[in-house]
Amino acid sequence: MILTVTLNTALDLTYRVPALVPHASHRVTQVIERPGGKGLNVARVLGALGHETVVTGFAGGATGETLRALLATTTAGRPVHDALVPIGGSTRRTVAVVDAATGDTTQLNEPGPVITPDEWAAFTARFTELLDGARAVALCGSLPPGIHVGAYAELVRLARAAGVPALLDTSGEPLRRGIAARPDIVKPNATELAQLTGSREPHRATRDARRRGAHAVVTSLGPDGVLAATPDGLWQAAPPAPVQGNPTGAGDSAVAALLAGLVDGADWPTRLTHAVALSAATVLSPVAGEYDETAYEALLPRIAVRAGATAA
Protein backbone atom coordinates (compact mmCIF):
# COMPACT_ATOMS: atom_id res chain seq x y z
CA MET A 1 0.00 0.00 0.00
CA ILE A 2 0.92 3.67 -0.34
CA LEU A 3 0.76 5.82 2.79
CA THR A 4 -0.06 9.53 2.71
CA VAL A 5 0.38 11.94 5.62
CA THR A 6 -1.73 15.08 6.04
CA LEU A 7 -0.90 16.78 9.33
CA ASN A 8 -3.25 19.69 8.58
CA THR A 9 -6.34 17.97 7.16
CA ALA A 10 -9.31 20.07 6.05
CA LEU A 11 -12.92 19.88 5.04
CA ASP A 12 -12.87 21.36 1.53
CA LEU A 13 -15.87 23.46 0.52
CA THR A 14 -16.22 24.55 -3.11
CA TYR A 15 -18.69 27.32 -3.93
CA ARG A 16 -19.60 28.16 -7.51
CA VAL A 17 -20.92 31.65 -8.25
CA PRO A 18 -21.90 33.21 -11.59
CA ALA A 19 -19.29 35.94 -11.11
CA LEU A 20 -17.14 36.92 -8.12
CA VAL A 21 -17.43 40.65 -7.46
CA PRO A 22 -15.61 42.32 -4.52
CA HIS A 23 -17.82 44.02 -1.89
CA ALA A 24 -20.98 42.37 -3.29
CA SER A 25 -23.39 39.67 -2.10
CA HIS A 26 -23.36 36.45 -4.12
CA ARG A 27 -25.85 33.71 -4.80
CA VAL A 28 -24.05 30.38 -4.66
CA THR A 29 -25.21 28.03 -7.44
CA GLN A 30 -23.41 24.91 -6.22
CA VAL A 31 -21.79 23.69 -2.99
CA ILE A 32 -19.46 20.66 -2.87
CA GLU A 33 -17.96 19.15 0.29
CA ARG A 34 -14.90 16.89 0.10
CA PRO A 35 -12.31 15.53 2.55
CA GLY A 36 -9.28 17.74 1.96
CA GLY A 37 -5.69 18.51 2.70
CA LYS A 38 -2.91 17.69 0.26
CA GLY A 39 -2.26 14.12 1.36
CA LEU A 40 -5.95 13.22 1.31
CA ASN A 41 -6.24 14.58 -2.23
CA VAL A 42 -3.21 12.48 -3.20
CA ALA A 43 -4.75 9.37 -1.66
CA ARG A 44 -8.09 9.83 -3.42
CA VAL A 45 -6.37 10.19 -6.79
CA LEU A 46 -4.20 7.13 -6.09
CA GLY A 47 -7.34 5.18 -5.20
CA ALA A 48 -8.94 6.22 -8.49
CA LEU A 49 -5.79 4.99 -10.26
CA GLY A 50 -6.23 1.59 -8.60
CA HIS A 51 -3.67 1.78 -5.78
CA GLU A 52 -4.36 0.71 -2.21
CA THR A 53 -3.86 3.78 0.01
CA VAL A 54 -3.91 4.59 3.71
CA VAL A 55 -4.22 8.13 5.04
CA THR A 56 -2.97 9.34 8.39
CA GLY A 57 -2.68 12.69 10.10
CA PHE A 58 -5.10 14.39 12.49
CA ALA A 59 -8.86 14.85 12.62
CA GLY A 60 -11.04 16.34 15.37
CA GLY A 61 -14.29 18.04 16.25
CA ALA A 62 -17.49 18.09 14.22
CA THR A 63 -15.59 19.10 11.08
CA GLY A 64 -13.27 16.14 11.54
CA GLU A 65 -16.24 13.80 11.91
CA THR A 66 -17.71 15.11 8.67
CA LEU A 67 -14.35 14.71 6.92
CA ARG A 68 -14.02 11.08 8.04
CA ALA A 69 -17.60 10.29 7.04
CA LEU A 70 -17.00 11.72 3.56
CA LEU A 71 -13.71 9.83 3.29
CA ALA A 72 -15.55 6.57 4.05
CA THR A 73 -17.97 7.16 1.17
CA THR A 74 -15.30 7.83 -1.47
CA THR A 75 -16.31 5.49 -4.30
CA ALA A 76 -14.02 6.15 -7.28
CA GLY A 77 -11.52 3.31 -7.69
CA ARG A 78 -10.17 1.57 -4.59
CA PRO A 79 -11.30 2.77 -1.14
CA VAL A 80 -9.05 5.01 0.94
CA HIS A 81 -8.30 3.53 4.36
CA ASP A 82 -8.63 5.89 7.34
CA ALA A 83 -5.81 5.83 9.92
CA LEU A 84 -6.26 9.43 11.10
CA VAL A 85 -5.37 10.18 14.72
CA PRO A 86 -8.16 11.83 16.79
CA ILE A 87 -7.41 15.17 18.48
CA GLY A 88 -9.14 17.52 20.87
CA GLY A 89 -9.17 20.47 18.48
CA SER A 90 -11.39 20.93 15.43
CA THR A 91 -10.27 20.19 11.87
CA ARG A 92 -10.08 23.33 9.73
CA ARG A 93 -12.11 24.18 6.65
CA THR A 94 -10.96 25.54 3.30
CA VAL A 95 -13.26 27.42 0.93
CA ALA A 96 -12.70 27.63 -2.83
CA VAL A 97 -14.92 30.15 -4.64
CA VAL A 98 -15.11 29.38 -8.35
CA ASP A 99 -16.06 32.25 -10.65
CA ALA A 100 -18.11 30.63 -13.43
CA ALA A 101 -17.64 33.65 -15.71
CA THR A 102 -13.83 33.52 -15.73
CA GLY A 103 -13.02 30.07 -14.39
CA ASP A 104 -10.80 31.67 -11.73
CA THR A 105 -10.72 30.30 -8.18
CA THR A 106 -10.33 32.24 -4.92
CA GLN A 107 -9.06 30.15 -2.01
CA LEU A 108 -9.69 30.82 1.71
CA ASN A 109 -7.78 28.59 4.15
CA GLU A 110 -8.50 28.48 7.88
CA PRO A 111 -5.64 27.87 10.32
CA GLY A 112 -5.35 24.36 11.68
CA PRO A 113 -6.02 23.22 15.26
CA VAL A 114 -3.27 23.30 17.89
CA ILE A 115 -1.66 19.87 18.25
CA THR A 116 -0.53 18.90 21.75
CA PRO A 117 2.73 17.02 22.52
CA ASP A 118 0.71 13.93 23.47
CA GLU A 119 -1.18 14.05 20.16
CA TRP A 120 2.09 14.34 18.23
CA ALA A 121 3.51 11.37 20.15
CA ALA A 122 0.39 9.34 19.31
CA PHE A 123 0.77 10.25 15.66
CA THR A 124 4.45 9.29 15.42
CA ALA A 125 3.65 5.94 17.01
CA ARG A 126 0.86 5.36 14.46
CA PHE A 127 3.10 6.50 11.60
CA THR A 128 5.86 4.08 12.62
CA GLU A 129 3.35 1.21 12.70
CA LEU A 130 1.97 2.11 9.28
CA LEU A 131 5.41 2.16 7.67
CA ASP A 132 5.46 -1.61 8.10
CA GLY A 133 3.96 -2.75 4.80
CA ALA A 134 4.07 0.65 3.05
CA ARG A 135 5.69 0.73 -0.40
CA ALA A 136 6.05 4.52 -0.33
CA VAL A 137 4.95 7.47 1.80
CA ALA A 138 3.95 11.03 0.87
CA LEU A 139 4.40 13.80 3.46
CA CYS A 140 2.17 16.64 2.36
CA GLY A 141 1.09 20.14 3.24
CA SER A 142 1.45 22.68 6.00
CA LEU A 143 2.08 22.05 9.68
CA PRO A 144 -0.73 22.88 12.12
CA PRO A 145 0.11 24.98 15.20
CA GLY A 146 1.91 23.11 17.97
CA ILE A 147 4.03 20.87 15.73
CA HIS A 148 7.75 21.63 15.63
CA VAL A 149 9.19 22.95 12.37
CA GLY A 150 11.43 19.92 11.92
CA ALA A 151 8.49 17.49 11.95
CA TYR A 152 8.84 16.43 8.32
CA ALA A 153 12.58 15.89 8.73
CA GLU A 154 11.76 13.58 11.65
CA LEU A 155 9.23 11.65 9.57
CA VAL A 156 11.60 11.36 6.59
CA ARG A 157 14.23 9.87 8.89
CA LEU A 158 11.71 7.38 10.29
CA ALA A 159 10.74 6.36 6.75
CA ARG A 160 14.37 5.97 5.70
CA ALA A 161 15.07 3.82 8.76
CA ALA A 162 12.16 1.58 7.74
CA GLY A 163 13.39 1.39 4.14
CA VAL A 164 10.30 3.19 2.77
CA PRO A 165 10.78 5.78 -0.03
CA ALA A 166 9.48 9.21 1.03
CA LEU A 167 8.11 12.06 -1.07
CA LEU A 168 7.99 15.50 0.57
CA ASP A 169 5.57 18.22 -0.57
CA THR A 170 5.63 21.23 1.74
CA SER A 171 7.09 24.75 1.85
CA GLY A 172 9.10 27.24 3.90
CA GLU A 173 11.22 26.13 6.84
CA PRO A 174 9.59 22.65 7.05
CA LEU A 175 10.78 22.11 3.46
CA ARG A 176 14.25 23.47 4.19
CA ARG A 177 14.69 21.13 7.15
CA GLY A 178 12.93 18.22 5.52
CA ILE A 179 15.08 18.21 2.39
CA ALA A 180 18.21 17.95 4.54
CA ALA A 181 16.88 14.61 5.83
CA ARG A 182 17.32 13.23 2.28
CA PRO A 183 13.82 12.35 1.04
CA ASP A 184 13.60 10.37 -2.20
CA ILE A 185 11.51 13.02 -4.00
CA VAL A 186 10.73 16.64 -3.21
CA LYS A 187 7.94 18.39 -5.16
CA PRO A 188 7.92 22.18 -4.68
CA ASN A 189 6.22 24.69 -6.93
CA ALA A 190 8.24 27.50 -8.49
CA THR A 191 7.53 29.96 -5.66
CA GLU A 192 8.45 27.45 -2.94
CA LEU A 193 11.60 26.55 -4.86
CA ALA A 194 12.67 30.20 -5.13
CA GLN A 195 12.10 30.68 -1.39
CA LEU A 196 14.22 27.60 -0.68
CA THR A 197 17.15 28.37 -2.98
CA GLY A 198 17.04 32.15 -3.50
CA SER A 199 17.02 31.62 -7.29
CA ARG A 200 14.10 32.29 -9.63
CA GLU A 201 15.75 30.50 -12.57
CA PRO A 202 13.99 27.11 -12.47
CA HIS A 203 16.79 24.95 -13.89
CA ARG A 204 19.42 26.34 -11.53
CA ALA A 205 17.05 26.31 -8.54
CA THR A 206 15.93 22.72 -9.15
CA ARG A 207 19.52 21.47 -9.36
CA ASP A 208 20.42 23.50 -6.25
CA ALA A 209 17.50 22.00 -4.31
CA ARG A 210 18.69 18.51 -5.20
CA ARG A 211 22.18 19.29 -3.92
CA ARG A 212 20.60 20.12 -0.55
CA GLY A 213 19.80 16.46 0.02
CA ALA A 214 16.87 15.18 -2.05
CA HIS A 215 17.41 12.17 -4.31
CA ALA A 216 15.20 13.88 -6.92
CA VAL A 217 13.43 17.25 -7.15
CA VAL A 218 10.31 17.72 -9.30
CA THR A 219 9.26 21.36 -9.62
CA SER A 220 5.71 22.30 -10.65
CA LEU A 221 5.77 25.10 -13.22
CA GLY A 222 2.00 25.63 -13.38
CA PRO A 223 0.72 25.66 -16.98
CA ASP A 224 4.28 24.98 -18.22
CA GLY A 225 4.36 21.49 -16.68
CA VAL A 226 7.17 20.18 -14.49
CA LEU A 227 10.95 20.26 -14.31
CA ALA A 228 12.79 17.35 -12.67
CA ALA A 229 16.39 16.99 -11.47
CA THR A 230 16.98 13.25 -11.04
CA PRO A 231 19.91 10.85 -10.84
CA ASP A 232 19.23 10.13 -14.54
CA GLY A 233 19.46 13.78 -15.59
CA LEU A 234 17.33 16.88 -15.97
CA TRP A 235 13.90 16.45 -17.57
CA GLN A 236 11.09 18.80 -18.51
CA ALA A 237 7.53 17.77 -19.35
CA ALA A 238 4.77 20.09 -20.56
CA PRO A 239 1.14 19.84 -21.72
CA PRO A 240 0.32 20.70 -25.36
CA ALA A 241 -1.47 23.89 -24.25
CA PRO A 242 -2.57 25.58 -21.00
CA VAL A 243 -5.91 24.39 -19.61
CA GLN A 244 -8.56 26.55 -17.96
CA GLY A 245 -10.34 25.51 -14.79
CA ASN A 246 -9.88 25.02 -11.05
CA PRO A 247 -6.16 24.50 -10.27
CA THR A 248 -6.83 23.41 -6.67
CA GLY A 249 -5.38 19.95 -6.20
CA ALA A 250 -3.47 19.87 -9.49
CA GLY A 251 -0.14 19.60 -7.67
CA ASP A 252 -1.56 16.84 -5.46
CA SER A 253 -2.47 14.84 -8.56
CA ALA A 254 1.09 15.26 -9.81
CA VAL A 255 2.30 13.83 -6.48
CA ALA A 256 -0.07 10.88 -6.90
CA ALA A 257 1.35 10.17 -10.36
CA LEU A 258 4.93 10.41 -9.09
CA LEU A 259 4.17 7.96 -6.27
CA ALA A 260 2.42 5.56 -8.64
CA GLY A 261 5.41 5.68 -10.98
CA LEU A 262 7.79 5.13 -8.07
CA VAL A 263 6.09 1.97 -6.78
CA ASP A 264 5.54 0.68 -10.34
CA GLY A 265 9.23 1.12 -11.20
CA ALA A 266 8.52 3.45 -14.15
CA ASP A 267 11.31 5.49 -15.72
CA TRP A 268 11.40 9.25 -15.18
CA PRO A 269 9.96 10.29 -18.58
CA THR A 270 6.96 8.02 -17.94
CA ARG A 271 6.49 9.33 -14.40
CA LEU A 272 6.59 12.94 -15.58
CA THR A 273 4.24 12.28 -18.51
CA HIS A 274 1.61 10.90 -16.15
CA ALA A 275 2.22 13.68 -13.60
CA VAL A 276 1.60 16.44 -16.15
CA ALA A 277 -1.40 14.73 -17.78
CA LEU A 278 -3.02 13.97 -14.43
CA SER A 279 -2.37 17.49 -13.14
CA ALA A 280 -3.96 19.06 -16.24
CA ALA A 281 -6.92 16.68 -16.03
CA THR A 282 -7.42 17.78 -12.41
CA VAL A 283 -7.65 21.44 -13.47
CA LEU A 284 -10.55 20.35 -15.68
CA SER A 285 -12.34 18.77 -12.69
CA PRO A 286 -14.57 20.98 -10.51
CA VAL A 287 -13.10 19.82 -7.15
CA ALA A 288 -9.71 18.87 -5.72
CA GLY A 289 -8.91 15.18 -5.33
CA GLU A 290 -10.65 14.28 -8.60
CA TYR A 291 -9.64 14.37 -12.24
CA ASP A 292 -11.29 14.20 -15.64
CA GLU A 293 -10.50 10.62 -16.69
CA THR A 294 -11.32 11.20 -20.37
CA ALA A 295 -9.05 14.25 -20.51
CA TYR A 296 -6.29 12.33 -18.71
CA GLU A 297 -6.29 9.52 -21.26
CA ALA A 298 -6.43 11.99 -24.14
CA LEU A 299 -3.54 14.07 -22.79
CA LEU A 300 -1.10 11.20 -22.12
CA PRO A 301 0.14 10.79 -25.72
CA ARG A 302 0.35 14.59 -26.14
CA ILE A 303 2.72 15.40 -23.28
CA ALA A 304 6.11 16.60 -24.52
CA VAL A 305 9.08 15.32 -22.48
CA ARG A 306 12.62 16.41 -23.24
CA ALA A 307 15.94 15.77 -21.56
CA GLY A 308 18.10 18.67 -20.40
CA ALA A 309 21.58 18.95 -18.98
CA THR A 310 22.82 16.25 -16.64
CA ALA A 311 21.67 16.96 -13.09
CA ALA A 312 24.39 17.76 -10.59
Side-chain angles (χ1 to χ4, degrees):
M1 61 89 172
I2 299 175
L3 176 63
T4 75
V5 173
T6 311
L7 298 178
N8 210 4
T9 57
L11 178 64
D12 284 348
L13 304 173
T14 301
Y15 294 158
R16 293 187 65 87
V17 298
L20 184 61
V21 181
H23 315 298
S25 296
H26 296 79
R27 185 176 298 277
V28 177
T29 59
Q30 185 183 30
V31 180
I32 301 173
E33 282 188 325
R34 290 290 186 274
K38 295 178 71 65
L40 268 67
N41 292 337
V42 171
R44 288 168 56 214
V45 172
L46 282 168
L49 291 172
H51 289 271
E52 181 183 2
T53 59
V54 176
V55 297
T56 190
F58 300 105
T63 308
E65 291 178 6
T66 301
L67 180 150
R68 299 182 84 160
L70 290 170
L71 191 62
T73 60
T74 299
T75 56
R78 302 189 67 170
V80 175
H81 301 287
D82 178 354
L84 295 167
V85 175
I87 56 172
S90 183
T91 297
R92 67 189 178 124
R93 295 166 296 180
T94 67
V95 179
V97 183
V98 180
D99 185 325
T102 64
D104 292 336
T105 301
T106 299
Q107 191 80 17
L108 304 173
N109 297 329
E110 294 181 356
V114 176
I115 305 300
T116 68
D118 286 345
E119 289 166 345
W120 174 248
F123 168 78
T124 55
R126 175 71 60 85
F127 178 74
T128 302
E129 292 172 358
L130 292 169
L131 287 173
D132 185 16
R135 300 178 65 193
V137 58
L139 309 169
C140 302
S142 60
L143 299 178
I147 294 183
H148 65 95
V149 74
Y152 281 133
E154 178 182 345
L155 299 182
V156 169
R157 286 191 288 268
L158 288 172
R160 286 177 57 83
V164 179
L167 183 153
L168 177 61
D169 182 12
T170 188
S171 60
E173 190 62 22
L175 172 60
R176 188 180 305 278
R177 299 200 184 191
I179 199 171
R182 303 184 64 81
D184 292 83
I185 303 174
V186 173
K187 196 216 70 65
N189 61 35
T191 299
E192 293 161 351
L193 185 69
Q195 292 171 346
L196 174 68
T197 65
S199 173
R200 293 192 174 276
E201 200 291 305
H203 289 73
R204 175 183 299 173
T206 300
R207 287 193 293 263
D208 179 49
R210 184 167 180 259
R211 284 193 291 267
R212 292 169 183 255
H215 190 66
V217 177
V218 181
T219 304
S220 295
L221 303 177
D224 295 325
V226 298
L227 179 67
T230 79
D232 299 329
L234 193 68
W235 304 87
Q236 188 160 359
V243 295
Q244 296 292 324
N246 180 4
T248 306
D252 304 329
S253 290
V255 168
L258 293 172
L259 285 170
L262 174 65
V263 300
D264 291 342
D267 60 25
W268 275 104
T270 300
R271 297 187 206 185
L272 299 177
T273 294
H274 284 266
V276 171
L278 199 57
S279 180
T282 299
V283 174
L284 296 171
S285 175
V287 293
E290 297 181 4
Y291 63 93
D292 185 315
E293 186 172 354
T294 300
Y296 172 51
E297 297 294 338
L299 281 164
L300 278 173
R302 303 177 62 203
I303 303 300
V305 182
R306 62 181 180 87
T310 301

